[in-house]
């Protein structure tokens, strides 16, 4: 399928761009980057220096092009060195692997949930145009989609954790009481801890999907083929689903793919607010501690995650829309 | 933080979706008024103003210095400190006020920077196209996908101190990608709009076109992009400051939140420290988002809130009392007296209005009609007459803001308005079905034909899967479509095939009534004729009644039983076809029938109908046709005429108020024709004399190919191949062909839009390839301007009418000094019949009708003092009654302004009416050339014969059998040698498949590219080359 091939090509190009960015940014600083970094962390031992060298793509004595190649070698073998400040000595890969499941669980699940729910609500809202539901919803969601993610988290903490005490204030589970594993107590605790951060992401992200889907649906409902469907006497549910829904969701899927970068950004700060042990908190901690190897690995990983989701959205679009499959 | 879609253009589909129809009009005061009418827009604007005030005058409003740390710490709200104090002893309220400045600054500066880059990248990518577009788009997409916030974090970590300027620059440089993508989409859709081609044909530079022609029409999207970028900037900046990457000593909302979080404000009982900055961020972001939202609704009319339409017993305009119909209920012309058992449909007093603007706009006014089983009723009218609305009303398919405001529709004895939705659905498709106008968009693009047919079957019956497939194949067979297309998607089929699929679908349950709304309009002449025949044949076979809506009255003359002529929402005349075509009574009906130039018989000068249909929002008092009626009496402008029964027809015209039923009191057509001939004033298309010895323009063996984008194989579209012709002075040459013939490419080759791949164009003896640089080409452009097909797309809607004309004069008439330029503009306006010229020049295009806009196209061309005007289908998008006016204008221009015209068209009849010579093209080749009259009387090439036979002639006594050809012209991709018409040619011989025929003389000054025709001409046996119309259906006797 030429379409999928083109998208894979795009994937490769973007990945190349992200890796190259990672390579270029340290070199934006004047002087020898390794020396500058050593200056900031004067108590580093040789292992750390080695890690930094890995980070920067080989010894600075090599030419730029050779460093670039070495850097790529490291990336492809998932050799990101060790953390130099956050958790000194731990391999970056291990730290990332530890945090990854939490992020996928929280951010991944809630983002997809927000998209699906938002799309459905937008569809129903536009279908029932002119009712109170449709007049009230858009203004509300315009405002909610302008809330900063982290602020919503803070408010939820204030209401539910501090004042009402219903949900925990931070963390992914209770370190003291639980033993991680497949036991009921642990799973319940994980769920309780995930409610507030998940709700934060859900509340802020859903507004955008509802609005776009609603507008798409309204535009599509004015199309000729919807009128044909009504003229054919099809049941309203069938029209809403197969004629309106399938066509209206296409631009939404594209929009989903394009805005994933934004969603991930918001999720990062939500994790930070809730001290949730995912990639976001790790990234911010690394930034504040100037742990360069960890920071750059996380950036790459987040980029790859977004790219994969974009690719997935494109594949789904191609499945639904026959015109895309043959697009030249 | 950046949320899902936060204030960005919520429509998601870009503004390029419906070009032309939902035009934004011009920017400026009209827009601002619309914005203020929208509640959301007003709310957004108010909040924004509030914040601006706070940002500009923080010192005057905030009670204290925000950085002062001398107050008691962690105070709760009090009179002295409205929001309390921070852990460091600063007044929260003052900090909030002062924070507005930074946030607004970031929003505007970063948003502005991002928008600027987005406009540059997006518009350039769309305009430049090709590789450059590919690269720019790739950069845009990559930047879009890379998560911005982590990237900024990484950058900020290296930069260390992210001051305000740094943040603005970083946000601006990273945040443009979303806007660029949307702008590119819209610019691409604009790029193909004729007014941009018109500007470049006029000789404008690319820079000028981008800045002065493209950008003004994209204003609304640019503003929307800015608003979205502003929200993005505010939220991202707040997030950066919150996590501590900003300057901690800055006065901003994000920094407030940073300190609040660091001091555990929530847990320490200082919630306001956290809540208020967030609320402010949300309000500012929300203000931008509301404005953005209001923007979307203004530019996409479909999104506007809908109002309910009150149902009133009678809705009349002009304050006249309801007209008393003189036709008693149940009795209608063309039907026997008394209600018949076969009565299918009864429409009484049906009125439809649209609830837009201040007062409802009446689209259909008090229409009565009847339909019996098996009857073919044609509904004819021009744009805006309400015929499509009438069909939607009858089929109960109207959606808000339209609604039935009076009268009723009775189908088989049941009042449709009283049916429940469920009952109505049950009746649909089984008892009556609808074929929509232009099947281009009438089929669901994501479902196959078979799936949609199955949907219809499942909705109304319990047929098994096998039975459904069987039935689907059967109906496809009825319309001669291969059953394999059940698995095709709509976009894989050609226009004609989609149309026939829709007809097949409509016949799935062999309903009693099939309503067809302009089913053949989008097709070429030959395909149109054959589809009409097929429809009639199906009707005879299956016995359904049909209401056939069309704007082309000549099409239905041989097929319909009765005809309803509509004008301005009312019934003008309704009667049997024979009575309407034989003795049309209503002046409009008469004028309509006479507005068609004929392909056979004597050439009659036509006058068309002056003026334009009335504005439905403000119809004239009295008779609606009166302003344009040549037979108007004084009382016609005051009294609204009722319907008078004349026996075989009813007519809404005061001329018949005293006439007893069954008589037509006005002069028949022959007298009228004589009258017109006697008073023809330059309207008679003059025969040109012998063409001047030195031709004005010569084309020698010109070719133009286009490379189709294929990854694996190289496909070349041969649009134009080795054509040669010449145009003389003061001559009108018609270039006739169907879609795909290459005629539009010829127009663009002659006006330097494309360069020929081979061959030569010589203007006044000098080859075009020798033109030197920009000034050379500009000089040529001054001699050979172009008039475009679409009067709505070829004039920039953002400027007044005078803009295009004055630009043309500035570029091409250096001989005129400034004061004389305006006078020249007035002169050309008068020359094309647009007066008063001064008033017309200062109007905006949306205020003018299609015919008037087309005349402006000619005015723009005339302002150059051209030698040759290339008119690319100038009348095909105009209403029939207005077409003749523009055709007559062309003849007048030729006579008065000493200019030649290349008239490109698909319509043989109009070509015959106005042209001296005729060139017929097929699939990129010229197949026949000669004097217009001679070629029409005796066409030699089989394709010309086919084309001629396909043109409907309402004056012919009956429908001629003619060829059963239903094929569409081919797309010539990688062609083989040989005649391109050969696959469809009834006379083809072996040679035709091998050798490409060249033009050869077949009659004095008549040339045809056909082996058979040339052979016969050489053997001089003209008896076997019979003129069209007398040709036996099987074609000539011929050895194969």
């Amino acid at each position: 399928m030429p379409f999928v091939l083109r998208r894979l090509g795009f994937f490769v190009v973007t990945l190349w761009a992200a890796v190259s960015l990672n390579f270029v940014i340290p070199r934006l600083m004047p002087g020898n980057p390794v020396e500058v970094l050593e200056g900031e962390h004067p108590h580093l031992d040789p292992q750390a220096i080695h890690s930094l060298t890995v980070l920067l793509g080989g010894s600075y004595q090599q030419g730029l092009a050779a460093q670039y190649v070495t850097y790529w070698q490291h990336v492809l073998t998932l050799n990101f060195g060790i953390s130099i400040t956050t958790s000194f000595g731990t391999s970056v890969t291990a730290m990332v692997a530890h945090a990854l499941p939490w992020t996928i669980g929280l951010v991944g699940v809630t983002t997809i949930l927000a998209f699906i729910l938002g799309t459905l609500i937008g569809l129903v809202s536009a279908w029932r145009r002119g009712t109170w539901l449709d007049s009230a919803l858009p203004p509300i969601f315009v405002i909610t989609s302008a809330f900063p993610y982290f602020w919503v988290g803070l408010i939820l903490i204030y209401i539910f954790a501090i004042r009402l005490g219903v949900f925990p204030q931070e963390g992914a589970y209770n370190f003291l009481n639980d033993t991680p594993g497949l036991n009921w107590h642990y799973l319940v605790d994980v769920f309780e801890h995930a409610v507030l951060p998940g709700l934060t992401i859900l509340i802020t992200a859903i507004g955008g999907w509802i609005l776009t889907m609603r507008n798409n649906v309204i535009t599509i409902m004015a199309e000729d083929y919807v009128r044909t469907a009504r003229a054919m006497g099809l049941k309203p549910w069938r029209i809403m689903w197969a004629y309106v829904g399938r066509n209206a969701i296409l631009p939404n899927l594209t929009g989903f793919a394009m805005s994933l970068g934004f969603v991930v950004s918001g999720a990062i700060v939500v994790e930070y607010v809730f001290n949730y042990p995912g990639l976001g908190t790790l990234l911010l901690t690394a930034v504040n501690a100037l742990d360069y190897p960890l920071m750059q690995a996380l950036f790459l990983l987040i980029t790859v995650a977004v790219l994969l989701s974009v690719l997935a959205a494109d594949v789904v679009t191609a499945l639904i829309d026959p015109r895309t499959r043959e697009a030249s | 933080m950046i949320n899902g879609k936060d204030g960005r253009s919520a429509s998601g589909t870009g503004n390029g979706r419906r070009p032309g129809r939902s035009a934004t009009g011009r920017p400026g005061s009209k827009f601002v008024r619309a914005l203020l009418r929208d509640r959301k827009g007003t709310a957004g604007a108010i909040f924004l103003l509030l914040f601006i005030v706070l940002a500009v005058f923080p010192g005057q409003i905030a009670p204290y210095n925000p950085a002062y740390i001398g107050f008691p710490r962690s105070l709760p709200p009090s009179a002295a400190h409205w929001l309390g104090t921070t852990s460091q002893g600063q007044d929260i309220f003052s900090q909030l006020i002062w924070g507005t400045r930074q946030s607004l600054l970031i929003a505007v500066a970063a948003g502005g920077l991002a928008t600027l880059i987005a406009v540059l990248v997006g518009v350039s990518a769309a305009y430049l196209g090709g590789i450059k577009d590919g690269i720019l788009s790739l950069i845009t997409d990559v930047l879009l996908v890379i998560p911005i916030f982590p990237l900024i974090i990484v950058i900020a970590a290296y930069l260390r101190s992210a001051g305000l300027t740094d943040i603005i620059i970083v946000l601006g440089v990273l945040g443009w990608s979303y806007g660029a993508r949307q702008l590119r989409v819209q610019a691409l859709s604009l790029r193909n709009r004729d007014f941009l081609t018109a500007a470049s044909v006029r000789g404008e530079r690319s820079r000028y076109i981008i800045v002065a022609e493209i950008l003004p029409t994209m204003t609304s999207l640019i503003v929307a992009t800015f608003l979205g970028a502003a929200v993005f900037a505010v939220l991202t900046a707040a997030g950066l400051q919150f996590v501590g990457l900003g300057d901690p000593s800055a006065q901003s909302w994000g920094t407030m939140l940073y300190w609040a979080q660091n001091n555990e404000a929530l847990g320490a009982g200082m919630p306001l420290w956290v809540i208020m900055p967030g609320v402010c961020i949300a309000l500012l972001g929300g203000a931008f988002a509301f404005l953005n939202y209001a923007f979307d609704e203004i530019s996409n009319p479909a999104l506007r809130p809908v109002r309910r339409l009150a149902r009133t017993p009678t809705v009349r305009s002009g304050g006249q009392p309801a007209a008393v119909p003189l036709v008693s209920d149940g009795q209608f012309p063309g039907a026997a007296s008394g209600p018949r058992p076969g009565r299918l449909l009864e429409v009484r007093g049906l009125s439809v209005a649209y609830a837009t603007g201040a007062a409802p706009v009446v689209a259909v006014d008090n229409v009565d009609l009847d339909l019996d089983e098996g009857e073919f009723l044609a509904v004819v009218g021009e744009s805006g007459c309400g015929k499509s609305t009438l069909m939607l009303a009858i089929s109960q398919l109207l959606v808000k803001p339209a609604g039935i405001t009076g009268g009723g529709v009775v189908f088989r004895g049941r009042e449709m308005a009283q049916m429940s939705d469920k009952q109505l659905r049950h009746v649909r498709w089984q008892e009556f079905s609808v074929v929509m106008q232009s099947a281009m968009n009438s089929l669901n693009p994501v479902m196959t034909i078979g799936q949609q047919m199955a949907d219809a079957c499942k909705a109304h019956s319990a047929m098994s899967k096998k039975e459904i497939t069987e039935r689907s194949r059967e109906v496809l067979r009825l319309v001669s479509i291969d059953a394999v297309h059940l698995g095709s998607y709509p976009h894989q089929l050609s226009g004609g095939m989609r149309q026939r699929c829709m007809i097949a679908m409509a016949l799935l349950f062999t309903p009693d009534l099939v309503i067809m709304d302009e089913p053949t309009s989008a097709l070429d002449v030959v395909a149109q004729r054959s589809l009409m025949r097929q429809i009639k044949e199906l009707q005879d076979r299956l016995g359904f009644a049909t209401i056939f809506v069309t704007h082309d009255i000549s099409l239905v003359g041989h097929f319909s039983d009765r005809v309803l002529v509509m004008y301005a929402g009312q019934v003008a005349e309704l009667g049997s076809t024979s009575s309407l075509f034989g003795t049309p009574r209503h002046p409009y009906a008469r004028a309509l029938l006479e507005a068609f130039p004929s392909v056979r018989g004597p050439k009659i000068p036509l006058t068309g109908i002056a003026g334009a249909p009335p504005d439905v929002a403000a119809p004239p008092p009295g008779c609606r046709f009166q302003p344009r009626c040549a037979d108007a009496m004084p009382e016609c402008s005051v009294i609204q005429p009722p319907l008078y029964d004349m026996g075989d027809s009813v007519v809404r015209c005061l001329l018949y108020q005293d006439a007893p039923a069954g008589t037509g009191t006005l002069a028949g057509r022959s007298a009228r024709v004589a009258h017109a001939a006697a008073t023809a004033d330059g309207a008679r298309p003059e025969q040109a004399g012998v063409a001047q010895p030195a031709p004005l323009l010569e084309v020698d063996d010109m070719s133009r190919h286009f490379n189709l984008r294929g990854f694996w194989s190289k496909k070349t579209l041969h649009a134009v191949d080795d054509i040669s012709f010449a145009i003389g002075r003061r001559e009108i040459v018609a270039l006739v062909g169907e879609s795909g013939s290459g005629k539009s490419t010829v127009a663009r080759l002659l006006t330097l839009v494309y360069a020929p791949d081979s061959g030569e164009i010589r203007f006044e003896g000098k080859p075009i390839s020798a033109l030197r640089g920009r000034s050379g080409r500009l000089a040529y452009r001054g001699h050979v301007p172009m008039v475009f097909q679409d009067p709505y797309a070829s004039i920039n809607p953002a400027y007044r009418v005078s803009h295009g004309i004055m630009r043309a004069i500035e570029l091409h008439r250096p001989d005129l000094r400034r004061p004389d330029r305006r006078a020249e503009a007035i002169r050309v306006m008068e020359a094309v019949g647009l007066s008063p010229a001064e008033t017309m020049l200062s109007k905006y295009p949306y205020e003018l009708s299609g015919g008037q806009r087309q005349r402006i196209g000619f005015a723009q061309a005339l302002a150059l003092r051209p030698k040759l005007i290339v008119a690319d289908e100038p009348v095909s998008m105009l209403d029939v009654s207005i077409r003749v006016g523009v055709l007559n204008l062309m003849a007048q221009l030729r006579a008065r302004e000493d200019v030649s015209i290349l008239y490109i068209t698909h319509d043989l009849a109009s070509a015959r009416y106005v042209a001296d010579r005729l060139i017929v093209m097929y699939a990129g080749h010229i197949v026949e050339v000669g004097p217009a009259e001679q070629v029409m009387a005796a066409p030699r090439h089989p394709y010309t014969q086919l084309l001629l036979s396909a043109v409907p002639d309402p004056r012919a006594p009956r429908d001629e059998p003619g060829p059963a050809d239903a094929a569409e012209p081919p797309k010539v991709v990688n062609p083989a040698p040989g005649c391109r018409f050969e696959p469809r040619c009834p006379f083809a011989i072996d040679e035709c498949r091998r050798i490409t025929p060249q033009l050869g003389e077949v009659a004095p000054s008549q040339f045809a590219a056909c082996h058979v025709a040339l052979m016969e001409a050489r053997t001089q046996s003209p008896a076997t080359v019979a003129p069209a119309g007398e040709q036996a259906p099987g074609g000539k006797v011929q050895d194969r």
Side-chain angles (χ1 to χ4, degrees), chain A residues 86-153:
Chain A
T86 318
S87 170
F88 188 79
T90 326
S91 100
V92 165
T93 330
M95 294 181 76
V96 166
H98 185 77
L100 188 59
W102 292 111
T103 301
I104 291 182
L106 179 69
V107 178
V109 169
T110 45
T111 308
I112 294 178
L113 202 63
F115 178 71
I116 295 177
L117 272 180
T119 306
L120 284 174
I121 297 178
L123 178 60
V124 174
S125 158
W127 189 254
R128 297 204 184 294
R129 228 176 143 200
T131 60
W132 69 268
L133 187 77
D134 187 51
S135 334
L137 282 187
I140 294 179
F141 285 111
V142 168
I143 294 266
T144 62
S145 52
F147 284 150
Y149 272 87
F150 58 90
W151 182 77
V152 175

Side-chain angles (χ1 to χ4, degrees), chain B residues 104-432:
Chain B
L104 207 56
L105 194 61
I106 291 177
V108 171
L113 181 58
T115 309
L116 188 65
I117 302 179
V119 169
L120 281 172
V121 171
V123 174
S124 309
Y127 195 71
L128 295 172
I131 292 270
K132 298 178 206 154
D133 179 17
I135 293 179
L136 284 174
S137 296
L138 190 60
I139 296 177
T140 309
D141 282 346
V142 165
L143 198 55
L144 201 53
V145 168
I146 289 184
I148 299 295
F149 195 67
L151 181 59
I152 298 182
I153 291 178
V154 169
I155 293 178
Y158 284 108
L159 288 179
R160 213 60 58 71
S161 62
L164 188 61
T165 338
D166 296 323
I167 288 189
I168 290 179
I169 293 180
V170 166
L171 288 178
V173 166
L174 291 178
W176 54 265
S177 43
Y178 190 87
R181 202 185 148 109
Q182 296 225 300
L183 286 164
R184 175 179 170 271
V185 167
Q186 196 197 27
L188 273 179
S189 81
L190 278 179
R191 187 175 176 211
N192 297 326
R193 293 276 288 275
D194 281 344
F195 69 82
L196 289 184
T197 322
S200 82
V201 166
R202 196 162 65 213
E204 307 276 16
R205 290 193 154 92
S206 291
R207 296 199 284 274
Y208 173 86
I209 294 182
I210 292 181
V211 171
E213 301 273 346
I214 298 183
L215 285 184
T217 34
M218 293 182 62
T219 320
S220 66
L221 188 58
I222 294 178
V223 175
T225 306
F226 169 72
L227 291 173
V231 179
F232 161 81
V234 167
L235 293 176
T236 316
L240 279 175
Q241 288 157 338
F242 176 67
V243 297
L245 288 174
D247 180 2
S249 65
Q251 288 299 332
S252 74
W253 294 332
T255 324
M256 281 178 74
L257 286 167
Y258 169 72
W259 286 113
Q261 175 75 339
N262 276 13
N263 288 293
E264 310 250 329
L266 287 176
M270 288 181 286
L272 284 176
W273 195 7
V274 168
I275 294 178
M276 290 319 292
V279 167
C280 285
I281 295 176
L283 281 179
L284 181 60
F288 284 127
F290 270 133
L291 283 171
N292 206 357
Y293 198 78
F295 247 94
D296 263 351
E297 287 192 348
I298 292 172
S299 45
N300 186 352
L303 294 174
R304 291 184 204 155
V306 285
R307 248 165 294 171
R308 299 201 170 278
L309 195 58
R311 190 188 168 91
T312 53
T314 52
V315 176
R316 296 274 179 269
S317 45
Q320 294 280 334
V324 175
L326 292 176
V327 182
S328 54
D329 229 75
Q331 297 208 287
F332 244 70
S337 51
R340 290 186 25 166
R343 176 60 47 86
L344 207 53
L345 188 72
E346 275 179 15
V347 177
R348 292 287 176 269
L350 189 62
S351 298
V352 178
Y354 285 81
T356 53
V361 172
V362 178
V364 173
D365 191 6
N366 196 27
V367 168
D368 294 336
L369 67 88
D370 280 351
L371 194 68
D372 288 332
E373 280 175 6
E375 229 189 324
F376 191 127
L377 171 70
V379 176
V380 178
E382 298 181 299
S383 46
C385 71
K387 54 193 194 298
S388 289
T389 312
L390 177 63
M391 290 307 111
L392 290 177
I394 293 179
S395 0
Q396 309 295 314
L397 286 174
L398 288 173
V399 284
K400 295 196 207 86
I404 297 180
T405 52
V409 178
V410 174
F411 183 73
R412 282 208 177 283
R414 285 167 296 176
E415 171 63 63
M416 291 188 100
Q418 286 164 0
M419 286 191 193
S420 70
D421 278 342
K422 198 161 169 220
Q423 289 169 322
L424 200 53
R425 255 185 290 142
H426 184 75
V427 166
R428 285 196 196 282
W429 228 246
Q430 287 189 303
E431 300 192 32
F432 77 92

Side-chain angles (χ1 to χ4, degrees), chain A residues 147-184:
Chain A
F147 284 150
Y149 272 87
F150 58 90
W151 182 77
V152 175
L154 291 174
I155 299 296
L156 284 181
I157 291 178
Y158 181 64
I159 298 177
F160 291 102
I162 296 179
R163 296 301 287 250
L164 296 179
V166 180
F167 289 106
Q169 191 172 344
E170 62 165 18
Y173 58 93
N174 199 323
F175 290 94
L176 304 173
N177 290 2
D178 298 337
T179 39
L182 280 176
N183 56 73
W184 182 246

Side-chain angles (χ1 to χ4, degrees), chain B residues 684-1001:
Chain B
R684 179 189 295 274
E686 299 162 20
Q687 295 294 328
V690 178
Q692 300 291 317
L696 189 61
L697 183 94
E698 284 167 292
V699 171
D700 261 338
D701 281 332
M702 184 168 70
S703 296
R704 179 69 161 110
H705 304 156
F706 293 98
N707 286 324
L708 298 180
R709 291 175 58 175
F711 195 67
W712 308 115
S713 58
K714 182 137 189 277
K715 286 197 238 188
T716 320
L717 177 70
H718 287 234
V720 168
D721 257 338
D722 301 323
I723 61 167
S724 307
F725 63 92
I727 301 176
R729 307 199 102 92
R730 292 188 107 215
E731 129 168 278
I732 298 186
V733 175
L735 182 59
V736 179
E738 294 181 295
S739 51
S741 57
K743 55 191 195 304
S744 287
T745 314
V746 169
R748 278 154 173 76
L749 283 165
L750 291 183
T751 48
L752 304 184
V753 178
Y754 304 140
D757 289 330
S758 65
E760 194 174 66
I761 305 175
R762 281 193 299 278
F763 183 71
E764 290 181 326
K766 285 169 285 201
I768 287 187
S769 45
L771 288 173
R772 290 284 160 76
R774 189 164 177 268
S775 53
R777 294 163 70 85
L778 197 63
Y780 174 78
R781 289 199 149 114
H783 293 304
V784 186
M786 181 144 84
V787 174
F788 290 83
Q789 174 180 16
D790 185 348
Y792 294 93
S794 53
I795 305 184
N796 193 332
Y799 294 113
R800 293 179 202 273
V801 166
S802 53
H803 168 84
I805 300 180
M806 295 305 282
R807 280 301 298 171
I809 295 178
E810 275 163 30
L811 282 171
H812 294 280
R813 300 289 300 278
D815 53 302
L816 288 178
R817 293 193 316 272
R818 281 196 164 265
D820 301 324
R821 289 182 188 167
R822 188 81 182 178
E824 179 69 6
I826 293 178
R827 182 191 79 84
V828 295
M829 291 290 277
E830 310 243 312
V832 299
L834 286 173
S835 52
E838 276 289 359
T839 326
M840 288 300 204
L841 278 172
S842 56
K843 282 192 192 273
Y844 280 92
Y846 70 86
E847 298 176 79
L848 304 175
S849 72
Q852 288 171 320
R853 284 193 227 197
Q854 205 61 306
R855 288 172 187 260
I856 292 172
F858 278 99
Q860 283 182 2
L862 273 186
L864 275 46
R865 280 212 189 276
K867 306 234 170 83
L868 167 67
I869 297 181
V870 176
D872 187 4
E873 303 224 47
V875 295
S876 45
M877 293 190 72
L878 299 178
D879 277 326
V880 166
S881 60
I882 303 178
R883 259 181 229 180
V884 172
V886 178
L887 290 175
N888 287 338
L889 172 66
M890 291 203 292
Q892 285 168 15
L893 290 180
R894 188 265 307 270
R896 293 195 204 131
E897 302 275 338
D898 185 23
V899 69
S900 294
I901 300 183
L902 178 64
Y903 171 54
I904 298 178
T905 179
H906 62 273
D907 175 20
L908 266 182
S910 66
R912 184 205 176 200
Y913 182 70
V914 80
D916 306 312
R917 277 192 309 129
L918 196 61
I919 302 177
V920 181
M921 278 187 78
Y922 181 80
H925 280 160
I926 292 183
V927 297
E928 190 151 6
V929 183
E933 201 57 56
Q934 187 177 327
V935 171
M936 300 290 278
R940 300 296 162 114
H941 195 284
Y943 175 64
T944 319
Q945 294 167 354
L946 172 65
L947 212 52
L948 196 55
S949 70
V951 176
D953 188 355
R955 301 186 184 96
R958 66 187 189 291
D959 187 26
E960 324 242 315
D965 196 317
E968 286 161 18
K971 281 203 187 352
V972 190
V973 178
N974 296 0
C979 175
R980 291 183 184 167
F981 188 64
E982 184 266 330
R984 300 166 67 181
C985 186
F987 312 116
I989 52 177
D990 195 49
E991 207 176 334
C992 300
R993 217 165 299 138
R994 289 183 290 112
I995 307 176
T996 311
Q998 304 294 320
L999 279 172
E1001 192 159 5

Side-chain angles (χ1 to χ4, degrees), chain A residues 148-317:
Chain A
Y149 272 87
F150 58 90
W151 182 77
V152 175
L154 291 174
I155 299 296
L156 284 181
I157 291 178
Y158 181 64
I159 298 177
F160 291 102
I162 296 179
R163 296 301 287 250
L164 296 179
V166 180
F167 289 106
Q169 191 172 344
E170 62 165 18
Y173 58 93
N174 199 323
F175 290 94
L176 304 173
N177 290 2
D178 298 337
T179 39
L182 280 176
N183 56 73
W184 182 246
H185 186 79
Y186 174 70
L187 288 172
V188 167
D189 206 29
V190 164
F191 179 73
E192 277 185 351
H193 277 83
V195 167
L196 285 185
L199 211 56
T200 310
I201 298 178
L202 202 66
I203 290 177
T204 13
I206 207 173
W209 303 131
I210 294 181
L211 289 174
T212 25
M213 188 62 175
R214 176 186 173 273
N215 285 0
N216 290 345
V217 168
I218 289 176
T219 312
I220 297 257
M221 273 168 66
E223 295 275 356
D224 291 335
Y225 51 84
V226 174
R227 195 161 60 185
T228 309
R230 286 177 54 224
M232 290 206 293
L234 303 183
K235 294 213 173 57
W237 280 110
R238 176 78 185 156
I239 301 180
M240 188 170 87
W241 181 250
Y243 288 74
V244 175
R246 277 182 73 176
N247 280 288
I249 204 176
L250 293 172
N252 237 23
L253 276 175
T254 323
F256 178 72
M258 290 196 293
S259 64
L260 265 178
F262 301 147
V263 176
V264 162
S265 314
I268 287 177
V269 190
V270 168
E271 283 188 9
Y272 174 75
V273 165
F274 284 92
N275 215 3
Y276 210 76
L279 297 175
T281 315
L282 202 57
L283 177 62
L284 285 171
T285 320
V287 166
N288 279 325
L290 295 176
D291 193 346
Y292 297 108
L294 186 56
M295 222 165 55
Q296 296 203 314
L298 283 170
F299 171 69
L300 260 184
L301 180 62
I302 294 175
T303 308
V304 168
V306 171
L307 272 180
L308 281 174
S309 320
V310 169
L311 199 62
D314 283 337
V315 168
V316 174
T317 305

